[in-house]
Amino acid sequence: MEQRYYQKDMETMPVEELKKLQSEKLVRQVQHVYDNVPYYRDLMDKKGVTPADIHGIEDVHKLPFLTKADLRDAYPYGLLAKPLKDCVRIHSTSGTTGRRVVAFYTQHDVDLWEDCCARAIVAAGGSEEDVCQVAYGYGLFTGGSGLHGGSHKVGCLTLPMSSGNTERQIQFMTDLGATILCCTPSYAAYIGETLHEMGYKAEDIPLKAGIFGAEPWTQEMRRNIEESLGIKAYDIYGLTETSGPGVAFECCEQSGMHINEDHFYAEIIDPDTGEVLPEGSKGELVFTALDKEAFPLLRYRTRDICVLTRKPCSCGRTHIKMSKPMGRSDDMMIIRGVNVFPSQIETVLLQEGYQPNYQIVLDRVGNSDTFDVNVEMNADQFSDTVSGVTSQEKKLAAAMKTMLGINPAVHLVPPKSITRSEGKAVRIIDKRKLHD
């Protein structure tokens, strides 16, 4: 297909000009953060670095890192760089122990984010002629709002469906002629299965492209979705801390995601030493938000492991590409698009009077994640009645759903029945094949 761009001059900017732009933005941003975020100013002071030491993008490595722990410690307003009266929105993700990450947006921040999502939609072949069905969750989750705003910017007719109610999704898709679908890959696969169960074939629906993200998915899953829905399936990447989806997106090559480098500067570091690694190395992805106003994170460690490459792309975009994330450098799991930490499970167990002796078992049946939590009962909780155990399991599952936002299947097991190696239970058994 003929390659189109949403902001051609920026998306195809020569690399030297792009680096100059990044340098100008970084110098301004460091001053903005230093002046307005006491938490980060303290980190800089401890490291002995001032805004005067940052002359361009080549100096970014002098700045201290930010981590999820910093976001937790600074919750809710400690990293805010603008007065609340200038902020128009928040989004949030679940936190490691129930303390959430809350990201703030000025109108300027929302506009930039929507531009990034618009670029992704146009790269997938979208235009004002298209009908864009947004089946990501809306609300505090960034997925729905980001693609919804991007779709408006492109000029698509936007169907703000949110997730769930799959038969209604399919009815609107067919009645209104949806051509682009935005949702998690597992939900796209489920829509495909439901479509065929309802007697439709891929050629019966007008969809031509899908923009899928928020959870890991394999090339095999991509092929299955493309076949069942008769579309091209494109990857999109983002995280609440840096804005949401649209930090990076796939083009027609479908061989990695272009990072919107005019807004986000990416580095790859050794997760153990923090040393910056050369292009092409596998390591942890670090982002600096170059022009966010309200919540401008500098050198934020994403914990995603990937590779960056500036190999020329046939689409004509000059922005660096990131591979699909190949894993994590922490213990976070992504289950049905939701971030889950073992520490959240432990918090619930302790609150409910259990010892934190548990095991999480993840699998993928068809294209949907299964999420089981085996929990050892205390000796005094051990009940011989099946109904007694079942009601305890239901109560625990409800408490976990409140904490996590998704439903696990909880199984209470006898004391000391979870195998321990070197005295410690293996906490997570992940049977899913999440990358090729």
Side-chain angles (χ1 to χ4, degrees):
M1 74 181 181
E2 182 203 345
Q3 193 54 48
R4 295 176 64 254
Y5 312 93
Y6 178 66
Q7 292 166 318
K8 184 174 182 181
D9 288 352
M10 203 55 82
E11 294 177 64
T12 61
M13 182 179 277
V15 173
E16 285 315 305
E17 282 182 44
L18 191 55
K19 288 189 171 170
K20 187 166 172 269
L21 178 67
Q22 288 178 323
S23 290
E24 290 165 4
K25 287 188 174 189
L26 179 68
V27 169
R28 274 201 306 271
Q29 188 72 301
V30 170
Q31 190 69 58
H32 170 56
V33 171
Y34 193 82
D35 291 344
N36 296 293
V37 184
Y39 186 98
Y40 197 77
R41 182 165 65 242
D42 289 347
L43 292 180
M44 285 178 67
D45 290 345
K46 278 181 198 148
K47 202 172 179 193
V49 60
T50 70
D53 298 315
I54 308 300
H55 304 287
I57 214 70
E58 68 282 356
D59 294 323
V60 73
H61 68 277
K62 296 176 183 176
L63 295 167
F65 292 115
L66 276 171
T67 66
K68 187 83 90 173
D70 291 306
L71 270 61
R72 199 163 61 239
D73 293 345
Y75 173 91
Y77 295 127
L79 290 167
L80 185 62
K82 280 283 192 181
L84 271 182
K85 68 179 178 60
D86 294 343
C87 299
V88 298
R89 195 191 300 174
I90 68 151
H91 282 283
S92 173
T93 181
S94 63
T96 52
T97 55
R99 185 172 270 193
R100 293 174 168 273
V101 170
V102 175
F104 298 84
Y105 302 73
T106 62
Q107 187 57 51
H108 166 267
D109 296 337
V110 172
D111 286 340
L112 292 187
W113 176 26
E114 291 178 349
D115 284 347
C116 289
C117 289
R119 290 178 187 180
I121 290 168
V122 174
S127 74
E128 65 279 358
E129 304 289 334
D130 283 288
V131 177
C132 184
Q133 183 156 334
V134 182
Y136 282 110
Y138 280 67
L140 287 171
F141 176 60
T142 54
S145 297
L147 272 305
H148 179 104
S151 173
H152 273 219
K153 286 259 175 116
V154 174
C156 305
L157 174 64
T158 308
L159 310 185
M161 301 294 296
S162 197
S163 53
N165 204 333
T166 307
E167 292 196 1
R168 187 179 65 184
Q169 300 268 7
I170 290 167
Q171 183 190 342
F172 270 75
M173 193 179 285
T174 52
D175 291 355
L176 293 170
T179 50
I180 298 171
L181 175 65
C182 304
C183 62
T184 62
S186 55
Y187 192 49
Y190 183 69
I191 290 174
E193 288 165 18
T194 309
L195 198 73
H196 291 278
E197 284 165 11
M198 289 170 71
Y200 290 102
K201 297 189 183 72
E203 53 269 28
D204 296 332
I205 55 168
L207 282 185
K208 65 178 185 183
I211 299 172
F212 308 128
E215 64 188 10
W217 52 309
T218 61
Q219 291 297 346
E220 181 186 19
M221 193 167 173
R222 187 206 298 265
R223 285 190 292 273
N224 289 345
I225 292 170
E226 289 187 333
E227 200 174 303
S228 71
L229 292 175
I231 60 172
K232 278 192 83 168
Y234 298 89
D235 211 345
I236 192 167
Y237 175 90
L239 50 166
T240 302
E241 296 91 324
T242 53
S243 69
V247 171
F249 61 88
E250 270 189 327
C251 62
C252 56
E253 269 201 3
Q254 295 175 292
S255 62
M257 292 169 275
H258 289 284
I259 294 169
N260 281 308
E261 284 194 280
D262 51 325
H263 301 308
F264 305 101
Y265 181 73
E267 304 169 85
I268 293 289
I269 63 165
D270 180 315
D272 298 321
T273 67
E275 177 200 357
V276 180
L277 301 175
E279 184 194 317
S281 306
K282 182 177 168 181
E284 182 183 336
L285 184 61
V286 173
F287 276 120
T288 293
L290 295 171
D291 42 18
K292 276 196 77 179
E293 293 181 334
F295 201 66
L297 300 189
L298 305 182
R299 298 200 88 200
Y300 180 68
R301 294 184 62 162
T302 68
R303 299 294 180 184
D304 283 324
I305 302 295
C306 72
V307 174
L308 298 180
T309 176
R310 205 175 280 285
K311 188 179 153 211
C313 185
S314 63
C315 77
R317 289 176 179 81
T318 51
H319 294 204
I320 203 163
K321 270 186 182 175
M322 62 177 277
S323 66
K324 273 181 178 290
M326 302 164 179
R328 302 275 305 171
S329 67
D330 63 6
D331 59 357
M332 189 183 89
M333 302 159 283
I334 301 177
I335 307 167
R336 301 174 209 148
V338 175
N339 299 349
V340 174
F341 290 85
S343 52
Q344 291 173 303
I345 307 276
E346 288 174 23
T347 301
V348 172
L349 293 178
L350 292 167
Q351 284 170 352
E352 297 293 321
Y354 293 82
Q355 291 302 309
N357 297 323
Y358 65 96
Q359 193 166 64
I360 298 161
V361 183
L362 304 173
D363 207 345
R364 190 159 271 173
V365 177
N367 286 306
S368 296
D369 290 341
T370 61
F371 176 24
D372 292 78
V373 184
N374 300 324
V375 179
E376 285 186 3
M377 287 181 276
N378 304 334
D380 59 335
Q381 292 168 321
F382 196 47
S383 167
D384 287 331
T385 69
V386 173
S387 62
V389 171
T390 304
S391 69
Q392 288 178 61
E393 287 173 341
K394 281 184 178 164
K395 185 168 180 265
L396 208 43
M400 286 186 193
K401 187 183 180 204
T402 300
M403 168 70 87
L404 306 171
I406 56 170
N407 253 323
V410 172
H411 312 281
L412 288 174
V413 298
K416 297 194 170 53
S417 61
I418 292 176
T419 310
R420 287 158 174 72
S421 55
E422 297 168 22
K424 202 173 176 189
V426 177
R427 287 276 173 254
I428 303 165
I429 298 172
D430 195 340
K431 301 175 180 174
R432 301 174 296 174
K433 183 174 175 259
L434 297 181
H435 53 84
D436 297 312

